[in-house]
Amino acid sequence: MIGVVKRNNVSLKIGIIGGGNVATHFFKSLGEIVVKQIFVRKKEENLHLPLSLLSESKDLRILDLAIIIIAVSDDQIINVMAKYHFDPDQTILHTSGSVEMDVIHQKHLKCGVLYPLMTLSKEDIIDYQQMPLLIEGSEESDLLLINQLAESISHHVTYFDSQDRKIIHLTAVIANNFTTSLLLDVEEILKKNQLDKFLLVPLMKETIRKVFDLGGIKSITGPAIRKDQKIIDVHLDLLSNYPEILDLYQFFTHRIQKI
Amino acid sequence: MIGVVKRNNVSLKIGIIGGGNVATHFFKSLGEIVVKQIFVRKKEENLHLPLSLLSESKDLRILDLAIIIIAVSDDQIINVMAKYHFDPDQTILHTSGSVEMDVIHQKHLKCGVLYPLMTLSKEDIIDYQQMPLLIEGSEESDLLLINQLAESISHHVTYFDSQDRKIIHLTAVIANNFTTSLLLDVEEILKKNQLDKFLLVPLMKETIRKVFDLGGIKSITGPAIRKDQKIIDVHLDLLSNYPEILDLYQFFTHRIQKI
């Protein structure tokens, strides 16, 4: 792999297809010196992006763009490959955790993947240098080019093939989406009791630190693992008005007691 | 409430009953100038604490201790109240999230609660000033004394009655223990596939930040909320060798889709 390339040394010219969350963050992380055009279906729906860069064209062959980043929803990637026209010399990437590189490769030889292992909503302020980027390329020359692009954004660039990328995406969904679902329950209970959810921030930061530093087995505490049935009964009683959270509490209590 | 009391201004003399995780952290956070004696069942089982402070005595009446912190497991608090002898002038606290102050009050008038809203294993290095302490007191004079003690440890001291403390403890169990259980699954999947779990650290830090800053509803992303059945099917297929995690995946996918 080549070394870290500073952004101001990147002479690459990039096009982005899409105006959603991931497209917006790739535009923000690369900047206007690198991103020459952003291809969207309707300009007027993408005014969070610079109007001067927006284009509704589907013909990218006449443009001097070395890399095209397809940052659309997973099931739209195949449609983009069917409807847009590319130059054979352009390297075409998608940004999905679960879609195989082959979806592009079937239509276009020079291709790859640039997957940001992060939850990205438009308004988030992300420290891009700390955001892991998982890359794949169809040929060594494509991979080197994608690596150069990725290292101009982040200090954490790693090669992942399509199969491993699917697995880490699965774990990201469990870790992020399911934890968020748990914290929705926490919010609901605290709100109904007019208690301040921010009291839990130090605990949650420590939870994450501990699991990664010590490992999950050493980190697990609380009434379930201690088999403290008195406390569990107190909690089940408190949850009598929340039947769904009560199910979830029992589900996890049983799971933890089987460890 | 009185202002923050610097530790070197605290002239309180404290005794701690117990040598476990919570007792050890209260000793560490208060230090030897404040903690005059630590009462344990067997000295030889508590050599992680200074031998000079350890005592097996159950008679605390002859000692000049203003506050006694009972830091034992929840179901042992009642036994401590039955077996130990206290001076009526001593203020006796427990440190539990789920036990009512009344368990002490039934036996001893001057009492209260000092509950650290944190996961505490002996080896953890905790920033005590950021650790929320939830306090309760049987009389205003006790509450003022407990507040003085608590503010010598942490900048985040809040009054909570026994009922509200039970509720926040319930949410701490959901947020900490159940998230840790999810991350155990993540560890298992990544380990079996020889992938590096530390790649998920930035995502998890952002997950916590986002839920508390934006709220859970605005933070929820991923295939379940998008109803992206193709990706869900990819994940169910990847989990075919993990029947329990597959159940959990379906459980949360259904929950999130009902939001």
Side-chain angles (χ1 to χ4, degrees), chain A residues 193-246:
Chain A
N193 289 280
Q194 294 174 291
L195 296 174
D196 179 4
K197 69 176 181 176
F198 290 97
L199 277 166
L200 291 173
V201 172
L203 173 69
M204 288 314 292
K205 285 185 179 170
E206 178 66 5
T207 300
I208 302 308
R209 187 202 66 75
K210 219 162 148 171
V211 168
F212 285 98
D213 283 4
L214 291 184
I217 288 281
K218 282 193 181 171
S219 305
I220 197 114
T221 58
I225 196 80
R226 285 199 315 269
K227 295 199 162 65
D228 187 337
Q229 193 58 43
K230 261 192 197 165
I231 302 290
I232 292 168
D233 288 342
V234 168
H235 289 169
L236 294 177
D237 185 50
L238 289 172
L239 290 173
S240 58
N241 292 325
Y242 306 83
E244 213 184 293
I245 308 179
L246 190 130

Side-chain angles (χ1 to χ4, degrees), chain B residues 72-81 94 96 99 103-104:
Chain B
V72 299
S73 62
D74 290 1
D75 54 356
Q76 289 300 310
I77 297 170
I78 202 158
N79 292 337
V80 165
M81 291 310 297
H94 75 62
S96 163
V99 174
V103 170
I104 300 178

Side-chain angles (χ1 to χ4, degrees), chain B residues 212-246:
Chain B
F212 286 97
D213 283 3
L214 290 187
I217 288 280
K218 282 192 182 173
S219 306
I220 197 114
T221 57
I225 196 80
R226 285 200 315 268
K227 294 198 164 63
D228 187 338
Q229 193 59 43
K230 262 192 198 166
I231 302 290
I232 293 168
D233 288 341
V234 168
H235 289 169
L236 294 177
D237 184 50
L238 288 172
L239 290 173
S240 58
N241 292 325
Y242 307 83
E244 214 183 293
I245 308 179
L246 190 131

